[in-house]
């Protein structure tokens, strides 16, 4: 019997680390642990898996048994939220202000007007304008413990949730073990090196436009991290063509349109995955000014145009 | 056409703070990132030197894991420093270094040169760059300037990791060129200090020295909580190594009725080269929220000075990001071969002689406590009160006559307070 069917993850020894692999958050998840002891790796892997599943179940917009569904179906009624959800909403509120409205967790409904399959599309401007009526954090009443939204509005933690899970799982495993470790959820990565250890984690930065298996390695660069994080925004395979112009899948919540002239993907390396993810998204939202934005932040980055 | 310039906002610190708030107080190891550190040191020797020092250090991570570090230091000193002369039962008058003035010392008191005051400005810059996966190169330069001293130098170092990064070996070297421009010129070695207004015995207005240093070291991770380091350092200096402001008393011999009383004062004289060696070992261990760091250093040189230093740090993390770090350092050194408390009138003058207490035999003990407190996201304030006491031979066996009545190595007690501020972003 293989260990995946028994525990939900597969544990393998690679070089001098144990690596747990499982599927969650719509992609492959890996946890690398710098220990020789398989029993310790097993204990941490099951903790990582249950924490990942917990966050996914709680904040997925595709379920009808969680707080997100409760909020999105509240029909104008206030919804009281737990502490963790409150922290995420508070974060959403703050980054909305910091981004001058460009990062908005109520913008998910706009995706209904767009199909990003690499095809030529004719956007339905009236539909987009209708949807825009249902978008805007400034229309939300959030008092720190309960949230009230107009009927038809929706929130979506898609732009925050995975990065949050990566940092959360990494922090929890380190608190539990004190080990050097790396958490990688589909390219969103957090690495930790125990105090006193000289280890560093070598992370490949992948070019998502290269189809794996056809041309071998898809790595376009490497980063060596001690305590750090990597997150990527954008997806080279998710775009549409309007009037002969290629538009990526990241939508400006103010216009309802994809950002013109934006890089295909932006990868940011900084201290936490949450921070890297936000800065990467802000860079894409800056369009042609993406690199100027990243340079002003003083972070390490990789941009694919 | 109007060109519209849109200012790009610097939002990273705010984003980092928001991310930290979202993730809660995760107890994570410190991260390598840009940092700014500033510190202010206040130093007070009882009845002697007072000093203040300000440091600003900026560390910057560049593309490709390169690092750049810039450090600026400003010191201001004033007060009195022992000149090397012995106490006497009479009032002693000394010519100031410029030759234009004098100062007097009361009977029985240790002669201190109270004309001692200076400001120093120093800057250094270091650039680090990884070479391949396992090696790193660093290059640096420094400049330091006082009204009578100028120093400039360069350094380079290389480290290489082995054994899955559990072992690091390093080699670094530096050269420094110093120019000494003493007030009143460079005194002729062992010449007699003349009275006020007389022509000073001088070798010219300035002199120079050059120093070459080499350090070879290895650090080894023993287990995930323990690291040990060893290094050997070599240093060779040549040129003007004498302190132009220090003197030696020539005293009446034991047969005289005034045995031990000063007859005249000579400018001190040191060899024109010095070769130093040191071996250093350190072990650091992390134990559940605390760190113990114990180190030992053994030093010897061709001036006959040997010294041993033992230092112990203990760092205890406290809840909420606070930390306490007591430390203790014990130091012992033997005297240089040419250290003399005095020279005897009528006896042949040796080639080299210095009465500088820093070349005498003494013990030093430092006790300190650092308290560090978080004052914001990635910001820390450190306060370190420190007490240093130095004890030498107050009544050395060579004391005779009037010298036996006096303290020939007064204890030195120093209180220092360092306040530091660090910000990582």
């Amino acid at each position: 019997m293989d260990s995946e069917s028994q525990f939900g993850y597969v544990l393998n020894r690679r070089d001098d680390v144990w690596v747990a692999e499982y599927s969650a958050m719509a992609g492959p998840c890996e946890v690398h642990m710098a220990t020789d002891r398989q029993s310790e790796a097993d204990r941490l892997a099951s903790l990582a898996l249950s924490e990942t599943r917990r966050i996914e179940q709680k904040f997925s917009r595709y379920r009808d048994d969680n707080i997100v569904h409760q909020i999105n179906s509240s029909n104008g009624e206030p919804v009281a939220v737990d502490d963790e959800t409150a922290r995420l909403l508070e974060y959403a509120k703050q980054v909305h202000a910091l981004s001058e409205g460009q990062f908005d967790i109520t913008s998910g409904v706009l995706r209904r007007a767009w199909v990003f399959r690499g095809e030529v599309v004719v956007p339905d401007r009236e539909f987009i304008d209708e949807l825009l009526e249902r978008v805007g954090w400034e229309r939300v009443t959030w008092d720190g413990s309960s949230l009230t939204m107009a009927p038809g509005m929706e929130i979506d933690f898609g732009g925050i949730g995975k990065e949050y899970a990566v940092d959360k799982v990494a922090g929890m495993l380190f608190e539990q073990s004190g080990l050097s470790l790396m958490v990688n959820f589909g390219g969103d990565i957090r690495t930790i090196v125990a105090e006193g250890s000289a280890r560093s984690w070598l992370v490949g930065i992948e070019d998502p436009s290269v189809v794996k298996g056809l041309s071998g390695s898809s790595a376009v660069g490497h980063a060596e991290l001690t305590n750090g994080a990597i997150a990527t925004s954008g997806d080279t395979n998710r775009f549409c063509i309007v009037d002969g112009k290629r538009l990526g899948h990241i939508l400006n919540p103010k216009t309802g349109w994809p950002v013109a002239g934006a890089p295909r993907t932006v990868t940011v390396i900084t201290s936490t995955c949450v921070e890297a993810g936000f800065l990467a998204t802000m860079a894409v939202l800056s369009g042609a000014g993406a690199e100027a934005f990243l340079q002003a932040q003083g972070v390490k980055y990789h941009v694919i145009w | 056409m109007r060109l519209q310039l849109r200012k790009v906002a610097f939002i990273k610190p705010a984003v980092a703070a928001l991310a930290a708030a979202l993730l809660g107080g995760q107890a994570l190891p410190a991260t390598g990132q840009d940092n700014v550190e500033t510190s202010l040191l206040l130093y007070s020797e009882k009845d002697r030197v007072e000093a203040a020092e300000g440091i600003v250090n900026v560390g910057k991570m560049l593309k490709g894991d390169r690092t750049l570090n810039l450090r600026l230091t400003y010191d201001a000193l004033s007060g009195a420093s022992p000149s090397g002369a012995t106490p006497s039962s009479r009032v002693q008058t000394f010519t100031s270094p410029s030759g234009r003035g004098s100062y007097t010392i009361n009977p029985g008191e240790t002669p201190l040169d109270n004309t001692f005051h200076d400001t120093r400005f120093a800057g250094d810059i270091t650039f680090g760059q990884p070479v391949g996966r396992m090696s790193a190169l660093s290059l640096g330069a420094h400049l330091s300037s006082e009204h009578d001293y100028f120093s400039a130098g360069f350094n380079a170092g290389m480290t290489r990791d082995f054994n899955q990064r559990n072992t690091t070996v390093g080699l670094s070297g530096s050269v420094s060129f110093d120019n000494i421009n003493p007030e009143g010129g460079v005194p002729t070695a062992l010449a007699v200090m003349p009275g006020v207004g007389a022509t000073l015995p001088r070798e010219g207005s300035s002199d120079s020295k050059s120093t070459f240093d080499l350090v070879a070291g290895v650090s080894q991770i023993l287990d995930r909580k323990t690291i040990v380091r060893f290094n050997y350092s070599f240093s060779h200096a040549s040129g003007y190594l004498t302190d132009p402001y220090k003197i030696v008393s020539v005293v009446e011999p034991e047969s005289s009725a005034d045995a031990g009383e000063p007859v005249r004062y000579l400018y001190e004289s040191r060899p024109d080269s010095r070769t130093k060696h040191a071996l250093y070992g350190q072990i650091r261990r992390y134990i559940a929220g605390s760190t113990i760091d114990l180190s030992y250093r053994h030093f010897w040189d061709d001036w006959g000075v040997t010294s041993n230093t033992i230092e112990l740090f203990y760092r205890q993390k406290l809840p909420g990001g606070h930390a306490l770090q007591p430390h203790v350092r014990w130091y012992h050194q033997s005297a240089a071969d040419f250290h003399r408390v005095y020279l005897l009138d009528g006896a042949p003058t040796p080639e080299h002689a210095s009465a500088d207490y820093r070349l005498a035999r003494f013990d030093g003990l430092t006790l300190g406590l650092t308290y560090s407190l978080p004052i914001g996201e990635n910001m820390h304030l450190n306060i370190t009160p420190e007490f240093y006491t130095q004890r030498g031979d107050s009544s050395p066996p060579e004391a005779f006559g009037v010298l036996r009545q006096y303290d020939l190595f007064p204890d030195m007690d120093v209180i220092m307070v360092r306040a530091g501020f660090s910000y990582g972003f």
Side-chain angles (χ1 to χ4, degrees):
Chain A
M1 187 160 69
D2 96 21
S3 56
E4 167 108 40
S5 56
Q6 194 183 350
F7 302 113
Y9 60 85
V10 179
L11 192 64
N12 284 306
R13 186 83 178 151
R14 265 190 234 163
D15 298 330
D16 59 341
V17 298
W18 282 102
V19 181
E21 292 172 80
Y22 51 89
S23 287
M25 306 238 161
C29 299
E30 285 184 4
V31 178
H32 295 232
M33 297 155 279
T35 178
D36 293 330
R37 289 169 43 222
Q38 186 173 3
S39 57
E40 172 85 333
D42 251 322
R43 179 177 77 89
L44 297 173
S46 62
L47 279 172
L49 177 64
S50 59
E51 178 69 356
T52 312
R53 292 264 152 86
R54 182 190 70 77
I55 294 171
E56 183 176 28
Q57 283 166 19
K58 185 167 175 181
F59 297 111
S60 167
R61 67 173 184 274
Y62 302 112
R63 298 178 70 95
D64 58 8
D65 60 352
N66 64 12
I67 185 70
V68 174
H69 178 78
Q70 214 184 320
I71 290 169
N72 290 345
S73 55
S74 61
N75 210 20
E77 293 297 314
V79 179
V81 305
D82 63 284
D83 285 352
E84 187 181 31
T85 309
R87 276 202 305 277
L88 277 161
L89 289 170
E90 187 60 29
Y91 173 80
K93 171 191 155 184
Q94 300 281 354
V95 292
H96 177 262
L98 195 62
S99 68
E100 294 170 344
Q102 294 190 81
F103 192 98
D104 195 324
I105 59 164
T106 66
S107 65
V109 293
L110 292 167
R111 271 193 299 266
R112 294 179 195 170
W114 297 90
V115 178
F116 297 107
R117 289 195 199 126
E119 298 156 356
V120 174
V121 298
V122 182
D124 181 343
R125 286 166 199 271
E126 273 181 33
F127 185 39
I128 292 168
D129 289 345
E130 271 175 47
L131 290 172
L132 279 172
E133 298 286 311
R134 297 159 58 186
V135 172
W137 177 263
E138 62 280 357
R139 301 173 195 197
V140 168
T141 306
W142 164 241
D143 66 5
S145 60
S146 81
L147 185 99
T148 316
M149 256 178 358
M153 288 185 74
E154 291 179 11
I155 62 161
D156 172 3
F157 288 117
I160 305 174
K162 192 163 78 162
E163 292 89 340
Y164 172 72
V166 168
D167 283 329
K168 208 71 188 163
V169 168
M172 185 189 74
L173 297 183
F174 181 73
E175 273 178 354
Q176 285 282 325
S177 68
L179 295 175
S180 299
L181 47 95
M182 170 163 72
V183 173
N184 180 350
F185 290 0
D188 287 341
I189 297 169
R190 174 72 182 267
T191 63
I192 293 178
V193 171
E195 273 187 75
S197 166
R199 174 182 290 279
S200 60
W201 295 100
L202 187 69
V203 182
I205 296 173
E206 293 184 344
D207 181 344
S209 65
V210 179
V211 179
K212 281 188 201 173
L214 293 178
S215 58
S217 168
S218 61
V220 291
H222 288 94
E224 202 170 333
L225 298 183
T226 50
N227 291 291
I230 293 184
T232 297
S233 190
D235 181 337
T236 43
N237 299 316
R238 294 187 61 206
F239 65 95
C240 62
I241 294 164
V242 178
D243 297 336
K245 279 190 196 138
R246 183 188 189 286
L247 297 176
H249 75 114
I250 295 192
L251 297 169
N252 181 329
K254 290 178 168 175
T255 62
W257 277 63
V259 187
R264 296 179 187 210
T265 68
V266 172
T267 300
V268 169
I269 304 176
T270 182
S271 47
T272 64
C273 207
V274 167
E275 185 188 335
F278 176 70
L279 291 175
T281 302
M282 281 301 292
V284 173
L285 288 166
S286 303
E291 293 203 58
F293 169 80
L294 292 164
Q295 281 163 11
Q297 311 314 314
V299 291
K300 292 185 206 172
Y301 64 87
H302 183 79
V303 172
I304 296 169
W305 289 98
Chain B
M1 192 175 93
R2 249 177 79 192
L3 188 69
Q4 199 180 357
L5 282 177
R6 188 156 173 267
K7 192 173 174 289
V8 180
F10 178 49
I11 60 171
K12 184 179 182 294
V15 179
L18 291 175
L22 172 62
L23 297 169
Q26 291 185 334
L28 297 171
T31 53
Q33 52 191 187
D34 293 351
N35 63 79
V36 174
E37 284 169 37
T38 59
S39 74
L40 181 68
L41 170 73
L42 297 175
Y43 172 103
S44 174
E45 285 175 21
K46 197 164 169 286
D47 303 328
R48 294 192 193 170
V49 174
E50 307 263 319
E53 178 184 77
I55 297 174
V56 178
N57 192 89
V58 181
K60 177 102 185 110
M61 301 288 296
L62 306 176
K63 266 193 170 177
D65 284 334
R66 295 181 185 92
T67 57
L68 192 64
N69 199 82
L70 180 68
R71 185 184 178 90
L72 299 174
T73 307
Y74 179 79
D75 294 317
L77 297 97
S78 70
S81 171
S83 67
T86 52
S88 161
S89 64
R90 300 162 192 158
V91 171
Q92 300 190 78
T93 302
F94 299 94
T95 306
S96 65
S98 69
R100 290 191 294 273
S102 67
Y103 57 96
T104 57
I105 299 296
N106 288 330
E109 287 184 0
T110 303
L112 300 177
D113 176 356
N114 60 10
T115 60
F116 181 60
H117 60 89
D118 206 349
T119 56
R120 182 176 75 101
F121 179 78
D124 66 77
I125 188 162
T126 308
F127 172 73
Q129 147 123 43
V131 179
R133 279 255 293 125
M134 304 299 269
S135 299
L137 176 73
S138 74
L139 293 170
H142 83 263
L143 281 179
S144 158
S145 173
E146 297 163 61
H147 83 283
D148 59 356
Y149 205 97
F150 179 80
S151 173
F154 304 94
N155 61 73
M158 188 92 192
T159 60
R160 185 164 174 80
D161 295 335
F162 294 99
N163 186 20
Q164 294 174 342
R165 293 185 185 276
N166 285 319
T167 310
T168 303
V169 297
L171 183 68
S172 64
S174 67
V175 288
S176 177
F177 304 97
D178 300 1
N179 195 57
I180 303 112
N181 208 346
E183 244 178 86
V186 179
T188 303
L190 299 171
V192 177
M193 174 188 268
V196 178
T199 307
L200 298 168
R202 291 301 189 238
E203 295 296 308
S205 64
S206 69
D207 210 331
S208 63
K209 76 168 181 184
S210 57
T211 312
F212 169 70
D213 289 284
L214 199 67
V215 181
V218 57
S219 74
Q220 172 71 43
I221 294 168
L222 296 184
D223 57 51
R224 72 183 179 85
K225 293 191 167 165
T226 316
I227 185 165
V228 292
R229 287 193 185 91
F230 297 99
N231 69 44
Y232 162 74
S233 55
F234 170 87
S235 169
H236 180 76
S238 62
Y240 187 74
L241 306 179
T242 297
D243 184 328
Y245 305 126
K246 298 285 185 217
I247 56 177
V248 188
S249 300
V250 178
V251 301
E252 298 272 10
E254 209 154 1
S255 57
S256 157
D258 274 344
E261 291 288 6
V263 183
R264 57 187 175 273
Y265 312 102
L266 308 184
Y267 293 106
E268 69 153 49
S269 162
R270 302 184 189 185
D272 59 7
S273 80
R274 186 180 192 182
T275 304
K276 303 179 195 179
H277 310 263
L279 287 172
Y280 173 84
Q282 178 196 34
I283 180 162
R284 174 179 283 198
R285 188 166 165 80
Y286 302 89
I287 306 163
S290 63
T291 307
I292 292 181
D293 186 315
L294 177 68
S295 65
Y296 169 72
R297 181 172 183 264
H298 178 68
F299 167 97
W300 69 101
D301 69 10
D302 63 351
W303 284 5
V305 176
T306 59
S307 75
N308 293 291
T309 311
I310 298 172
E311 190 158 24
L312 179 67
F313 284 92
Y314 174 77
R315 184 175 178 84
Q316 178 65 53
K317 287 187 189 168
L318 302 174
H322 297 241
L324 268 183
Q325 180 177 294
H327 66 270
V328 55
R329 177 175 182 266
W330 175 81
Y331 177 81
H332 170 81
Q333 83 169 36
S334 69
D337 297 334
F338 55 86
H339 180 263
R340 297 285 183 275
V341 178
Y342 53 79
L343 294 173
L344 278 180
D345 189 29
T349 305
E351 189 184 358
H352 303 294
S354 171
D356 189 339
Y357 73 92
R358 292 169 297 185
L359 294 173
R361 195 174 94 95
F362 68 85
D363 295 285
L365 182 68
T366 306
L367 299 171
L369 180 68
T370 300
Y371 174 56
S372 99
L373 63 157
I375 53 169
E377 182 56 30
N378 292 331
M379 274 186 270
H380 276 85
L381 195 63
N382 300 299
I383 297 165
T384 307
E386 213 171 52
F387 172 72
Y388 172 70
T389 180
Q390 186 173 289
R391 301 266 183 279
D393 279 337
S394 292
S395 309
E398 60 264 47
F400 66 92
V402 71
L403 295 174
R404 295 178 70 159
Q405 299 169 27
Y406 302 121
D407 187 346
L408 300 180
F409 195 112
D411 295 347
M412 183 167 87
D413 294 331
V414 180
I415 290 179
M416 282 173 271
V417 180
R418 185 180 285 278
F421 168 77
S422 67
Y423 175 46
F425 53 88

